[in-house]
Amino acid sequence: MMNAFNWLAVALCGAVFVTTFALGDHPALFINGLGLAIVLSGTLGALFLSYPMADISAAFRVAHNSLTVQPPTAETVVNTLLDLAVRSRRKGVLVLEDAEEETTVSFLKRALGLVVDGYRAEEIRDILQTEMHYFSQRRAHQERVFHHLARLAPAFGVAGSVVGLIAMLAGIGDPDVILRTIPVALTSTLYGILLGNFLLTPLAENINAKTRKELLMQRLVSDGVLAIRQEHNPFRLAKKLESFLTPAARGEKEQSLEEIRERFRQLQAEESA
């Protein structure tokens, strides 16, 4: 997700970028509706020719979510899994049924449901890995839509330039025609480059970055839930799950992880009493 700093940086850089055009002698020359119409109509027309509407809609929905929806952090998932490990150790696996209803993380809900339904560890691993694989495939397809758009936009910018040059040649003896058509030839290429490199390629990369992060979270959930299913010692589980955190994050979360470890020690003392 884009945080406030990202949006501020985009707004600042965009403002500086636009200002460089406005400071020229004739800033109005950079605004040309015909050139923009050529680039947008050509790019969108080629897009609809390339993909069915369902794929296009899904790609734009994923792009919107990648900019606005914050996925759970690794620290949050680790703490949740450790808490579930302690609870299941004390009250049994069926206590995860309540956790399944409480959690808002869909992949964790899915994994806990498999445990509650009594699937074997090998079956749970196979189902979750299959789901992760197809999730990655879907996201790669949606990312490809924006990479395809990023290639189309500059190409139709060049097409707009050709249209402008042809119109200019048709009125080569008329200065008024030349003055009207040169901006079309030049601004079309500008619009295509800006659309492809300032908007579409960054959107594709944003989807890719979020997908990598979500796959890491899914791997974390998968390993943690399997360890809970196999009734691993929560203290050992904590050591394993900490490997998913960066060294800095481990230091920041050490206190909360230690609290969960303390709960497990208390549980061991109750069981031995």
Side-chain angles (χ1 to χ4, degrees), residues 30 32 49 62 76 176 196 203 208 222 233-235:
F30 293 102
N32 188 278
L49 189 62
V62 168
T76 300
D176 290 336
L203 279 176
N208 179 271
S222 177
N233 183 313
F235 186 76

Side-chain angles (χ1 to χ4, degrees), residues 7 70 109 117 120 155-156 163 169 180 190 209 226 249 257:
W7 288 117
Q70 177 65 55
K109 185 188 293 287
D117 290 341
R120 298 194 309 272
F156 282 102
V163 170
L169 290 175
R180 288 198 307 269
L190 175 65
L226 283 171
L257 294 177

Side-chain angles (χ1 to χ4, degrees), residues 28-48:
L29 292 176
F30 293 102
I31 302 174
N32 188 278
L34 180 58
L36 183 61
I38 291 172
V39 173
L40 290 180
S41 61
T43 301
L44 292 176
L47 174 66
F48 286 112

Side-chain angles (χ1 to χ4, degrees), residues 90-106:
R90 182 168 187 173
K91 299 181 180 179
V93 173
L94 289 180
V95 76
L96 301 179
E97 188 171 2
D98 294 333
E100 179 190 358
E101 297 175 356
E102 295 170 1
T103 183
T104 58
V105 181
S106 59

Side-chain angles (χ1 to χ4, degrees), residues 42-118:
T43 301
L44 292 176
L47 174 66
F48 286 112
L49 189 62
S50 302
Y51 297 97
M53 186 60 199
D55 290 354
I56 297 171
S57 177
F60 278 90
R61 186 166 57 251
V62 168
H64 176 267
N65 290 338
S66 71
L67 295 173
T68 59
V69 177
Q70 177 65 55
T73 63
E75 295 88 337
T76 300
V77 174
V78 167
N79 287 340
T80 300
L81 290 171
L82 291 178
D83 182 64
L84 292 175
V86 173
R87 289 163 60 183
S88 65
R89 183 83 175 200
R90 182 168 187 173
K91 299 181 180 179
V93 173
L94 289 180
V95 76
L96 301 179
E97 188 171 2
D98 294 333
E100 179 190 358
E101 297 175 356
E102 295 170 1
T103 183
T104 58
V105 181
S106 59
F107 191 81
L108 177 57
K109 185 188 293 287
R110 169 79 162 155
L112 292 176
L114 295 173
V115 175
V116 172
D117 290 341

